[in-house]
Amino acid sequence: MLEHAPKVVIYSAFPGPALVAASCVAGACAVVAKHGLAHELPDAIRAARTGRRTVPRLSRTELSALAERLQPEDRSLLAMFSRGMSADQVAETLSIDEAEMHVRRRRILHALTDRSHSALSAMKGSALHYSPNRGAG
């Protein structure tokens, strides 16, 4: 682990709930939509530099739907990360060591970014999964 981890700003064309949640779990400082206002990216970079987080808040419905992808013991971690807690704060709250935190964060990230689950959710008409309008080719 790095003593001072780099500040990370996610700049995405499709910042849906799964990406936002994964960014929180991974410790990103910001998630910015490419279609946002011109000042949002530089503002997010400046905020990250000073240690402030600018991550969109997930609704309870979104968080609940994402939590369904996780093992029951990992759901509380997702909730804590989405509220802005750091990995150190979560580990202290749950009394888990660094190795266990690493394993659980990795497991959560895998579940949130599993493309087969995302595709299945989209086919079922999930309101949570953000799917870009591909238009007619």
Side-chain angles (χ1 to χ4, degrees):
M1 290 292 242
L2 295 174
E3 185 176 330
H4 299 287
K7 307 293 186 199
V8 175
V9 174
I10 307 294
Y11 188 52
S12 174
F14 310 109
L19 177 65
V20 171
S23 298
C24 290
V25 173
C29 292
V31 177
V32 180
K34 287 185 177 181
H35 60 272
L37 300 174
H39 67 84
E40 290 177 353
L41 180 60
D43 288 352
I45 292 169
R46 281 190 286 278
R49 186 169 174 250
T50 63
R52 289 183 299 130
R53 295 182 73 230
T54 51
V55 177
R57 291 192 61 79
L58 296 169
S59 71
R60 286 185 180 162
T61 303
E62 291 169 331
L63 194 56
S64 178
L66 290 167
E68 288 298 316
R69 298 183 188 185
L70 307 179
Q71 295 182 19
E73 64 271 19
D74 291 335
R75 292 175 182 167
S76 60
L77 275 78
L78 177 62
M80 288 185 257
F81 283 123
S82 70
R83 284 189 224 118
M85 292 178 74
S86 70
D88 289 341
Q89 292 169 323
V90 172
E92 185 177 330
T93 300
L94 298 176
S95 300
I96 58 178
D97 63 25
E98 186 177 336
E100 177 70 11
M101 176 57 72
H102 179 76
V103 167
R104 292 178 71 179
R105 285 174 82 185
R106 198 166 175 179
R107 190 167 59 206
I108 293 169
L109 289 171
H110 183 268
L112 292 174
T113 59
D114 180 14
R115 296 213 185 271
S116 62
H117 186 279
S118 296
L120 187 60
S121 294
M123 289 189 301
K124 289 181 179 177
S126 170
L128 175 67
H129 179 67
Y130 181 81
S131 179
N133 181 4
R134 291 186 175 19

